[in-house]
C-alpha cells in the first residue's frame, strides 16, 4: 500500500489552496458584477424617472358646491406628451375613469392641466371627502422621451411598458 510521502502532501495541499482561492476570486468577481449591475440599473431608472417625478398631481374638493377637481402640473423643463387619469378613489373602492375627457395631450414646461371630475363621481365623493381634503389620484403620463409612467398622487413613479399603457 502506497501512501503519499511528505513532499507529495505539500503538492496536494497547495493545489487545494489554489483551487479554493480561485473559487473565492470567482465568487467575489461575480458578487461585484451583480452589485455593479444593480447600481447601474438603479441609476438608469433614476435618470429615466427624473421628469416623471417632476409632474405632480393634486386632487380635492374645491368647495362644498364647486366639485372635485384634479390639477396635474409639469414642473420639469421638458414637455409632457400626454396625461391620463386612471383612478379616482372613492371611499374604500376605486373608481376607474375611462372617459375621453380624463386625457390630455401636451403639457408645456411649467404649465398645468385642470380636470373637473364628472358629477356622477363627484356625487359619490362628496359624502367621503371634506373641503380641502384630497384623494390620491392615479394617473399615467408619457414623458418627453416617450416613456410611459404611472403615479399615484405624488408617490414614486413606476414604469409602464407601452403594451400595458395602451391596454393590450
Amino acid at each position: 500500500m502506497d501512501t503519499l510521502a511528505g513532499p507529495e502532501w505539500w503538492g496536494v495541499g497547495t493545489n487545494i489552496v489554489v483551487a479554493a482561492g480561485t473559487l473565492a476570486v470567482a465568487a467575489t468577481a461575480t458578487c461585484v458584477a451583480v452589485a455593479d449591475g444593480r447600481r447601474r440599473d438603479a441609476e438608469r431608472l433614476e435618470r429615466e424617472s427624473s421628469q416623471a417625478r417632476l409632474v405632480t398631481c393634486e386632487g380635492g374638493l374645491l368647495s362644498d358646491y364647486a366639485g372635485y377637481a384634479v390639477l396635474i402640473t409639469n414642473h420639469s423643463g421638458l414637455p409632457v406628451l400626454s396625461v391620463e387619469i386612471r383612478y379616482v378613489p372613492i371611499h374604500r373602492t376605486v373608481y376607474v375613469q375611462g372617459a375621453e375627457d380624463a386625457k390630455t395631450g401636451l403639457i408645456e414646461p411649467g404649465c398645468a392641466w385642470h380636470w373637473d371630475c364628472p358629477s356622477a363621481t363627484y356625487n359619490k365623493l362628496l359624502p367621503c371627502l371634506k373641503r380641502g381634503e384630497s384623494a390620491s389620484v392615479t394617473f399615467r403620463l408619457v414623458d418627453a422621451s416617450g416613456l410611459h409612467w404611472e403615479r399615484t398622487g405624488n408617490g414614486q413613479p413606476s414604469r409602464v411598458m407601452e403594451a400595458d399603457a395602451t391596454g393590450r
Side-chain angles (χ1 to χ4, degrees):
M1 178 171 203
D2 287 333
T3 59
L4 292 174
E8 291 175 2
W9 275 107
W10 282 106
V12 170
T14 302
N15 286 340
I16 290 173
V17 169
V18 167
T22 302
L23 285 174
V25 167
T28 301
T30 300
C31 289
V32 167
V34 167
D36 186 51
R38 287 182 181 160
R39 181 188 53 77
R40 279 187 278 123
D41 287 347
E43 287 173 353
R44 180 183 49 78
L45 183 62
E46 180 75 17
R47 270 191 320 275
E48 288 177 347
S49 69
S50 62
Q51 183 183 11
R53 285 183 281 117
L54 293 173
V55 178
T56 60
C57 178
E58 300 296 327
L61 293 177
L62 301 175
S63 70
D64 291 337
Y65 301 104
Y68 186 84
V70 175
L71 184 68
I72 296 179
T73 307
N74 180 8
H75 296 283
S76 74
L78 299 169
V80 172
L81 302 180
S82 69
V83 173
E84 176 185 2
I85 295 174
R86 303 287 292 183
Y87 310 111
V88 177
I90 303 171
H91 194 59
R92 297 185 193 168
T93 62
V94 175
Y95 175 78
V96 178
Q97 176 60 41
E100 283 300 315
D101 70 339
K103 300 176 184 176
T104 187
L106 190 76
I107 301 177
E108 293 290 338
C111 295
W113 172 55
H114 178 95
W115 177 74
D116 290 320
C117 193
S119 60
T121 305
Y122 169 68
N123 290 336
K124 292 177 187 174
L125 279 169
L126 187 57
C128 306
L129 293 175
K130 297 181 175 103
R131 185 175 178 199
E133 189 177 10
S134 64
S136 292
V137 175
T138 300
F139 65 100
R140 286 192 179 173
L141 66 108
V142 180
D143 66 13
S145 61
L147 299 176
H148 296 252
W149 300 92
E150 184 167 285
R151 195 167 187 193
T152 299
N154 291 323
Q156 197 63 13
S158 60
R159 178 96 184 267
V160 179
M161 294 299 130
E162 283 79 18
D164 295 337
T166 58
R168 286 184 231 151

